[in-house]
Amino acid sequence: MNEIRLKDCDGMENFELQEIEKTNQKNMKLDHIEILTNELKATKDFYEKVLELPVTEYNSKSVNIKIGSSALTFVENFEKSNPIYHLAFNIPENKLNEVTEWCANRIELIKKEDAVLIAEFESWNANAVYFYDNNGNLLEFIARKDLPNSEAEAFSSKQILNISEIGIVKENPLDFGNRLIEEYGLNFFDKNQNSELFTAIGDDNGLLIIVKAGRNWYPTEIPAKRYRTKIGLTNKEQSNIIEITA
């Protein structure tokens, strides 16, 4: 499969970082994400049949999907909108090539110049590939080299480890990030150069990706808009729920 690699994307500037020690400690974890969908049944089918993830609950109003140690709930959208979200899923740090092959017969990965786009985030020490779900949500498989989670077995959906990023859209991401730090005791992501356009809160295990409204979701031409989102997270053993309104 042809591939094209892009470096230092999504607002991450190339700046020198001190060596980061690999650790099993999980400071922040995205336990549960709740977002909207206009296509409940099709969403269930995509995550269950295409991505081969277990559906733990399904009814006329919502569907709940187990994604490793996280849960993703889609709720029927009664608003006149077409919500688009961004989420990333951690995979083992040594499995990016295998996940690309695994996707080949299931989904179409985003390409650039007719080759699969592999984003290389040098300052984050991570690589990623992107694709869409049935709703048009921008999804990402990301391998973070500083997490000691390598696997010897062939890649399968069981190696989709957790939800590691959820996109949040605000007029001033840096101000909102500071509010989250003050109210919930969270931390800026120390590998990111935060700004009024792009701010990251958390760590390699779980990140709130806060972008300015209207900024395109990398690597697409889709402008970021705010839609209702409910985030259940654990940070330093403290559980919190953050609700984003439309």
Side-chain angles (χ1 to χ4, degrees):
M1 179 178 294
N2 293 329
E3 300 173 351
I4 187 167
R5 293 176 180 260
L6 295 185
K7 296 184 177 181
D8 291 314
C9 315
D10 210 359
M12 304 165 205
E13 304 201 9
N14 187 13
F15 60 99
E16 187 173 333
L17 291 165
Q18 294 180 348
E19 183 177 355
I20 298 169
E21 180 183 359
K22 290 188 177 182
T23 174
N24 279 314
Q25 182 182 4
K26 291 186 177 182
N27 292 323
M28 189 160 121
K29 180 175 179 291
L30 301 179
D31 301 305
H32 185 202
I33 304 296
E34 181 179 295
I35 56 179
L36 300 172
T37 179
N38 294 335
E39 300 288 344
L40 204 60
K41 176 63 165 60
T43 298
K44 171 185 176 293
D45 290 345
F46 177 85
Y47 284 84
E48 184 177 41
K49 297 178 181 179
V50 179
L51 295 187
E52 300 179 356
L53 295 166
V55 170
T56 57
E57 186 176 354
Y58 175 60
N59 55 50
S60 61
K61 296 181 179 179
S62 66
V63 57
N64 190 71
I65 302 140
K66 186 177 185 298
I67 302 180
S69 61
S70 305
L72 176 60
T73 298
F74 287 89
V75 177
E76 185 176 6
N77 181 26
F78 294 104
E79 304 167 8
K80 294 181 178 180
S81 64
N82 183 29
I84 299 295
Y85 299 89
H86 168 58
L87 301 103
F89 308 137
N90 273 1
I91 61 171
E93 60 91 11
N94 62 327
K95 291 296 181 178
L96 193 75
N97 289 337
E98 285 188 39
V99 81
T100 302
E101 296 171 1
W102 183 83
C103 289
N105 297 322
R106 293 174 172 82
I107 51 181
E108 183 175 356
L109 295 174
I110 290 178
K111 296 180 179 180
K112 184 177 178 64
E113 299 174 358
D114 297 323
V116 172
L117 185 152
I118 296 180
E120 296 187 354
F121 303 120
E122 289 189 352
S123 59
W124 288 26
N125 200 19
N127 298 336
V129 292
Y130 295 83
F131 59 101
Y132 300 104
D133 73 359
N134 63 292
N135 302 284
N137 294 318
L138 177 63
L139 305 183
E140 172 184 356
F141 285 134
I142 184 165
R144 303 179 191 270
K145 303 300 183 180
D146 291 325
L147 292 179
N149 58 11
S150 62
E151 289 285 346
E153 294 183 4
F155 184 85
S156 72
S157 61
K158 293 179 180 179
Q159 292 178 23
I160 304 175
L161 303 175
N162 62 294
I163 302 172
S164 63
E165 295 179 14
I166 176 65
I168 298 173
V169 181
K170 288 288 180 179
E171 288 301 324
N172 193 316
L174 193 58
D175 283 353
F176 186 68
N178 279 311
R179 281 177 50 197
L180 293 178
I181 289 170
E182 182 178 349
E183 293 179 24
Y184 298 101
L186 307 180
N187 299 287
F188 285 121
F189 186 33
D190 59 6
K191 299 179 184 179
N192 188 61
Q193 193 165 20
N194 299 297
S195 71
E196 294 180 356
L197 296 176
F198 182 97
T199 292
I201 299 288
D203 57 45
D204 283 328
N205 299 287
L207 287 167
L208 306 178
I209 302 297
I210 313 168
V211 302
K212 187 174 180 62
R215 180 186 185 275
N216 288 344
W217 287 118
Y218 174 83
T220 75
E221 300 297 320
I222 300 171
K225 296 181 181 180
R226 185 165 68 242
Y227 298 100
R228 183 167 70 82
T229 310
K230 187 174 182 180
I231 303 165
L233 62 82
T234 302
N235 181 62
K236 299 174 184 176
E237 300 183 350
Q238 296 294 320
S239 296
N240 292 288
I241 294 177
I242 299 171
E243 295 196 49
I244 309 297
T245 56

